[in-house]
């Protein structure tokens, strides 16, 4: 039997934007459930039959299907791949009418090597087969009144009356009892893993779980993605062809890293003060797969969740990769010019907004903040960037991203910046707003003078540059403007 396989991957394009295209949590949950059901191993295997088998070498990721079949001699591989794509695309289209899918394939002895050297480069070059939703045959058709994206196909009853809905929103328009999280969906897996009461029905109800001081009307949208995973997997694939131990390890590493993502999500959710207080799921995951996460939660819980997730994810990845990382670095040490590999980490983008702000816009903004955080540190360190739309508007934030180590030390420890922020949140919100206005209008000296008059100079001193060396960084590693923004939703605020 040949050890060479043809690997065929399918993915939902811009899955975050697709799932969040409807404003309500009810529609998102229905789409998430449909995605989970359609991409479940049993459902896919039933559809493809003898054409292929589930690729167990790939990790689990929402909206992704990975298949393989033996690369036999004298076989029309391209023809078989196309038949396989036709079958899977048709299956996914029936379940998710408005989604966009693509597929890419390659041949080799291991999935990791094929993914690193063939599938990923092909995807980056756009050498994929696309499957797009059907276009409207009648351009003057009434647009869908729920997503405002596709033409309506009929009028259906909804909780508040009746609406003209497109085919995709019709799929999402199901009773509450059917949108209770499927155990294969991100929310369903989290509920099953933690044993908590279900999350609220809607986004405004989710925001209302926050503390009275938060106003109970704001949510945070958090996007997370891994750093340096491509570099690590490429090294793993390259060295795996030369070393038997690495070759054995690479078969398990993708699943281990996917497990780290899900475990970090569980820990970060369970350790939230609000979760412990209510014994209820207070985090709604939209996408969880590979090293990619998108969640919504009450605004005043966001920093606790984000920092805990990034720290726990980093710890789990270090543990999962420690042995193979040592092996890789020893193998690479004999070849000049190759840098020492570090364990992959993750970065996050956090966006705060009122609960009624469109979820699709929040997901897009969180993704932009995530890109800023990764770019600021070259993908080499765990980092975070944030935006408070209510306070600062929807444009790019004025402050630079911060490394995780500035806000959280290992073992949930307090850093100088975190301790200083805990003091800053005790300053009345009206005083903090006045300091922000002074900072914007006259700079740190003006803000310091006002703080001195009202007795808060010692509280803001860690965030001010040392006088008279104004070009030096603040002692806390965080500027006053960023600190005032952080303080609005910082733990204990």
């Amino acid at each position: 039997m040949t050890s060479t396989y043809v690997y065929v991957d399918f993915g939902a394009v811009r899955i975050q934007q697709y799932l969040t295209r409807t404003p309500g949590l009810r529609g998102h949950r229905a789409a998430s459930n449909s995605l989970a059901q359609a991409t479940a191993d049993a459902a896919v295997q039933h559809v493809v039959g003898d054409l292929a088998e589930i690729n167990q070498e790939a990790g689990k990721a929402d909206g992704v299907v990975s298949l393989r079949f033996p690369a036999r001699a004298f076989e029309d591989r391209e023809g078989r791949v196309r038949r396989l794509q036709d079958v899977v695309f048709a299956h996914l289209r029936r379940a998710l009418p408005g989604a966009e899918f693509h597929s890419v394939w390659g041949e080799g002895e291991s999935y990791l090597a094929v993914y690193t050297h063939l599938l990923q480069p092909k995807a980056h070059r756009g050498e994929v087969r696309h499957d797009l939703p059907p276009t409207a045959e009648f351009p003057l058709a009434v647009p869908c009144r729920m997503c405002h994206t596709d033409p309506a196909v009929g009028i259906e009853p909804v909780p508040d009356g009746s609406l003209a809905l497109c085919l995709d929103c019709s799929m999402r328009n199901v009773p509450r009892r059917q949108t209770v999280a499927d155990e294969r969906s991100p929310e369903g897996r989290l509920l099953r893993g933690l044993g908590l009461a279900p999350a609220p029905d809607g986004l405004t109800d989710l925001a209302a779980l926050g503390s009275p001081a938060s106003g109970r009307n704001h949510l945070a949208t958090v996007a997370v993605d891994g750093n340096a995973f491509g570099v690590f997997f490429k090294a793993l694939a390259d060295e795996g062809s030369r070393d038997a131990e690495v070759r054995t390890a690479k078969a398990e590493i993708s699943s281990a890293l996917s497990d780290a993502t899900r475990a970090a999500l569980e820990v970060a959710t369970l350790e939230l003060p609000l979760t412990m207080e209510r014994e209820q799921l207070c985090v709604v995951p939209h996408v969880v797969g590979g090293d990619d996460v998108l969640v919504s939660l009450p605004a005043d819980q966001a920093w606790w969740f984000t920092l805990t997730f990034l720290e726990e994810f980093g710890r789990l990845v270090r543990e999962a990769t420690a042995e193979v990382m040592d092996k890789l670095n020893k193998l690479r040490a004999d070849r000049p010019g190759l840098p020492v590999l570090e364990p992959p980490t993750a970065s996050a983008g956090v966006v705060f907004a009122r609960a009624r702000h469109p979820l699709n816009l929040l997901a897009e903004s969180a993704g932009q903040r995530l890109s800023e955080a990764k770019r600021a540190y070259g993908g080499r360190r765990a980092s975070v960037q944030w935006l408070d739309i209510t306070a600062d508007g929807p444009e790019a934030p004025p402050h630079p991203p911060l490394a995780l180590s500035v806000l959280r030390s290992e073992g949930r420890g307090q850093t100088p910046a975190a301790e200083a922020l805990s003091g800053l949140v005790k300053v009345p919100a009206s005083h903090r707003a006045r300091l922000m206005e002074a900072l914007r209008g006259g700079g740190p000296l003006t803000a310091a003078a006002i703080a001195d008059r009202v007795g808060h100079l010692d509280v803001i001193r860690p965030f001010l540059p040392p006088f008279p060396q104004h070009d030096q960084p603040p002692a806390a590693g965080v500027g006053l403007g960023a600190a005032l923004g952080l303080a609005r939703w910082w733990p204990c605020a």
Side-chain angles (χ1 to χ4, degrees):
M1 175 180 281
T2 179
S3 59
T4 302
Y5 286 88
V6 175
Y7 296 92
V8 189
D9 280 2
F10 300 81
V13 181
R14 293 181 290 277
I15 183 62
Q16 298 179 358
Q17 287 82 354
Y18 169 70
L19 290 176
T20 59
R21 64 187 271 180
T22 51
L25 193 52
R26 178 169 170 258
H28 154 71
R29 280 188 171 122
S32 184
N33 289 355
S34 294
L35 180 67
Q37 293 164 8
T39 56
D41 288 353
V44 174
Q45 190 65 69
H46 176 75
V47 168
V48 302
D50 295 333
L51 279 175
E53 64 183 9
I54 302 297
N55 174 25
Q56 301 296 343
E57 297 176 63
K60 299 295 182 181
D62 294 338
V64 174
V65 172
S66 186
L67 302 170
R68 72 176 193 177
F69 60 84
R72 298 188 179 93
F74 311 112
E75 181 181 53
D76 179 9
R77 293 175 177 74
E78 290 191 23
R80 184 167 177 174
V81 167
R82 192 158 191 88
R83 293 197 304 275
L84 183 62
Q85 290 173 330
D86 289 341
V87 169
V88 175
F89 279 150
H91 165 68
L92 295 174
R93 178 64 54 213
R94 286 191 295 270
L96 304 155
E100 177 184 347
F101 304 100
H102 69 204
S103 177
V104 63
W105 67 282
E107 179 181 335
E109 294 184 358
S110 77
Y111 176 71
L112 182 57
V114 171
Y115 178 83
T116 302
H117 297 300
L118 291 176
L119 304 188
Q120 194 173 46
K122 278 186 174 182
H124 286 163
R125 295 192 300 265
E127 298 175 6
V128 299
R129 182 181 174 188
H130 290 278
D131 185 73
L132 304 174
T135 57
E137 296 181 0
F138 179 54
L140 300 181
V142 174
C144 175
R145 300 304 184 189
M146 183 176 290
C147 70
H148 306 283
T149 301
D150 293 333
V153 296
I155 298 176
E156 297 185 21
V158 296
D160 298 327
S162 297
L163 288 177
L165 302 179
C166 68
L167 193 61
D168 194 84
C169 287
S170 176
M171 173 272 294
R172 299 172 185 242
N173 184 35
V174 296
R176 166 61 182 159
R177 65 179 180 276
Q178 294 182 32
T179 62
V180 173
D182 188 293
E183 286 195 355
R184 293 164 293 192
S185 72
E187 189 174 352
R189 288 193 300 266
L190 194 56
L191 270 175
R192 181 184 60 193
L194 298 181
L196 299 170
D201 290 352
L203 294 174
T204 54
D205 298 324
L206 181 65
L209 297 182
S211 67
S214 71
R216 291 178 169 168
N217 59 357
H218 275 69
L219 287 175
T221 304
V222 183
V224 180
D225 189 41
N227 296 321
F229 273 79
V231 174
F232 172 68
F233 281 128
K234 185 177 185 307
L236 199 61
D238 291 344
E239 303 302 336
S241 62
R242 303 183 182 97
D243 186 272
E245 290 183 23
V246 174
R247 193 158 50 247
T248 302
K250 72 181 183 181
E252 304 174 357
I253 204 72
S254 292
S255 295
L257 295 178
S258 292
D259 291 344
T261 301
R262 301 183 191 282
L265 176 61
E266 289 190 2
V267 170
T269 300
L270 194 58
E271 290 191 7
L272 282 180
L274 193 59
T275 303
M276 298 185 204
E277 173 190 334
R278 300 184 61 89
E279 296 186 356
Q280 178 182 14
L281 186 62
C282 302
V283 175
V284 175
H286 306 299
V287 175
V288 181
D291 56 345
D292 188 27
V293 172
L294 179 73
V295 304
S296 293
L297 72 163
D300 63 344
Q301 306 292 298
W303 283 116
W304 195 295
F305 171 88
T306 303
L307 302 183
T308 302
F309 181 98
L310 294 180
E311 182 188 353
E312 184 68 12
F313 179 81
R315 184 187 68 81
L316 292 170
V317 169
R318 284 195 302 273
E319 290 181 356
T321 61
E323 186 174 344
V324 71
M325 193 70 71
D326 287 343
K327 185 67 175 177
L328 287 174
N329 281 321
K330 288 178 182 177
L331 291 170
R332 290 161 62 93
D334 297 333
R335 294 193 295 280
L338 292 180
V340 175
L341 288 174
E342 298 288 342
T345 59
S347 292
V350 186
V351 177
F352 301 93
R354 295 188 183 277
R356 295 191 180 278
H357 200 92
L359 185 57
N360 62 321
L361 298 182
L362 294 177
E364 181 180 353
S365 181
Q368 292 170 347
R369 308 292 77 82
L370 171 61
S371 296
E372 292 163 2
K374 292 168 73 72
R375 188 164 52 247
Y377 292 91
R380 295 186 298 271
R381 299 177 65 185
S383 56
V384 61
Q385 175 65 304
W386 71 97
L387 174 66
D388 189 330
I389 291 178
T390 303
D392 301 317
E395 302 303 322
H399 48 76
L402 293 175
L404 172 65
S405 58
V406 174
L407 299 173
R408 176 72 70 86
S409 62
E410 292 186 13
R412 313 290 193 270
Q414 285 273 73
T415 64
E419 292 179 1
L421 283 167
S422 296
L424 184 59
V425 298
K426 297 175 183 177
V427 175
S430 59
H431 290 195
R432 296 201 305 267
R434 187 181 176 192
L435 288 173
M436 181 65 85
E437 291 177 4
L439 183 66
R440 289 170 175 167
L445 281 176
T446 302
I450 291 177
D452 190 32
R453 285 203 298 269
V454 296
H456 298 317
L457 181 58
D458 287 343
V459 176
I460 72 166
R461 194 185 303 277
F463 307 111
L464 296 172
F467 296 107
Q469 295 87 9
H470 303 302
D471 58 341
Q472 298 299 312
V478 181
L480 181 57
L484 290 169
L486 283 166
R488 189 172 185 218
W489 302 112
W490 191 250
C492 304

